[in-house]
């Protein structure tokens, strides 16, 4: 009886913890989202070929019946992949102890994942190499560095000087248990950040 009681209490706590995790705001909408990993072979060892492949793939996927948006990202949220970077924010001293989660994405990523755009714009197909280098930052990023003002038009330095064109909601990229750190997104058509 005592052992059964302990097992029932443990099971109840486990179920409660699971339900609590299910109710955590992930920052994106996981329902009705289909994902897959794609690895390109050596034929696609140049950024131009990689971009051409993914542009064609996303264009065809978007035209499939029932597809609202199709996009690519270097690391899916909560999938185990992670990319951490430093960044310099204009008007603020560089802090080597502050890390940022970063993702390189294609246009329509925020729409496909249900990540809310809070200010400014998302990336477009015009955000390519040779155009003005741009960046989208998370709400926590904007609040820390630009409290009480708009982050749009501000300058940061990561893989070159970039202009903030949008602010999106915070996303739990690596864990449901911890608050999401500051994040930023770069346009894949501009950075060629594919891994082959």
């Amino acid at each position: 009886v005592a052992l059964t009681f302990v097992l029932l209490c443990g099971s109840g706590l486990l179920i409660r913890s699971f339900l609590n995790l299910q109710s955590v705001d992930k920052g994106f909408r996981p329902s009705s989202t289909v994902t897959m990993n794609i690895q390109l072979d050596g034929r696609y060892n140049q950024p131009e070929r990689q971009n051409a492949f993914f542009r064609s793939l996303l264009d065809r996927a978007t035209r499939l019946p029932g597809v609202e948006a199709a996009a690519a990202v270097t690391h899916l949220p909560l999938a185990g992949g992670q990319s951490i970077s430093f960044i310099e924010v204009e008007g603020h001293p560089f802090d080597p102890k502050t890390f940022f989660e970063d993702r390189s994405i294609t246009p329509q990523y925020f729409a496909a994942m249900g990540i809310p755009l809070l200010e400014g714009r998302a990336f477009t197909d015009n955000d390519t190499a040779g155009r003005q280098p741009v960046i989208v930052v998370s709400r926590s990023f904007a609040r820390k560095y630009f409290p009480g003002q708009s982050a749009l038009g501000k300058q940061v330095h990561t893989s070159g000087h970039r202009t903030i064109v949008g602010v999106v909601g915070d996303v739990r990229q690596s864990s449901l248990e911890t608050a999401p750190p500051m994040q930023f997104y770069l346009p894949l058509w501009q950075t060629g950040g594919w891994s082959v």
Side-chain angles (χ1 to χ4, degrees):
V1 170
L3 182 59
T4 302
F5 179 75
V6 169
L7 288 173
L8 285 174
C9 287
S11 298
L13 290 172
L14 183 65
I15 290 170
R16 192 170 86 181
S17 296
F18 176 75
L19 292 176
N20 286 340
L21 283 177
Q22 289 292 94
S23 66
V24 167
D25 180 16
K26 298 165 189 66
F28 63 94
R29 186 185 64 243
S31 61
S32 302
T33 303
V34 177
T35 65
M36 67 184 75
N37 290 322
I38 297 176
Q39 294 290 325
L40 301 180
D41 61 28
R43 294 175 294 171
Y44 298 94
N45 58 0
Q46 297 172 338
E48 299 81 19
R49 288 186 175 191
Q50 295 167 10
N51 284 352
F53 173 85
F54 281 102
R55 278 181 185 271
S56 173
L57 177 67
L58 294 174
D59 181 56
R60 285 184 283 163
T62 303
R63 285 188 268 127
L64 291 173
V67 173
E68 294 178 15
V73 62
T74 49
H75 299 286
L76 279 169
L78 304 176
Q82 194 170 7
S83 180
I84 303 293
S85 296
F86 296 108
I87 195 169
E88 290 183 61
V89 180
E90 186 178 57
H92 297 271
F94 174 67
D95 182 2
K97 296 178 182 174
T98 301
F99 298 96
F100 302 82
E101 285 186 344
D102 71 276
R103 300 289 189 270
S104 291
I105 63 171
T106 61
Q108 296 299 309
Y109 174 72
F110 300 128
M113 293 295 289
I115 298 170
L117 180 66
L118 306 175
E119 185 180 13
R121 69 172 179 88
F123 299 133
T124 70
D125 283 324
N126 292 324
D127 293 316
T128 58
R131 296 289 183 100
Q132 178 190 31
V134 292
I135 189 170
V136 170
V137 300
S138 66
R139 178 192 334 222
S140 58
F141 185 116
R143 284 183 176 167
K144 174 169 180 168
Y145 288 101
F146 312 109
Q149 58 181 308
S150 173
L152 300 182
K154 301 294 193 290
Q155 301 292 309
V156 298
H157 184 81
T158 178
S159 64
H161 281 88
R162 296 185 170 274
T163 301
I164 297 174
V165 295
V167 178
V168 295
D170 293 315
V171 174
R172 293 181 190 264
Q173 303 279 13
S174 55
S175 168
L176 290 177
E177 292 86 4
T178 57
M182 291 180 287
Q183 302 154 351
F184 66 87
Y185 300 85
L186 300 174
L188 258 169
W189 299 153
Q190 200 166 74
T191 62
W194 307 103
S195 58
V196 182

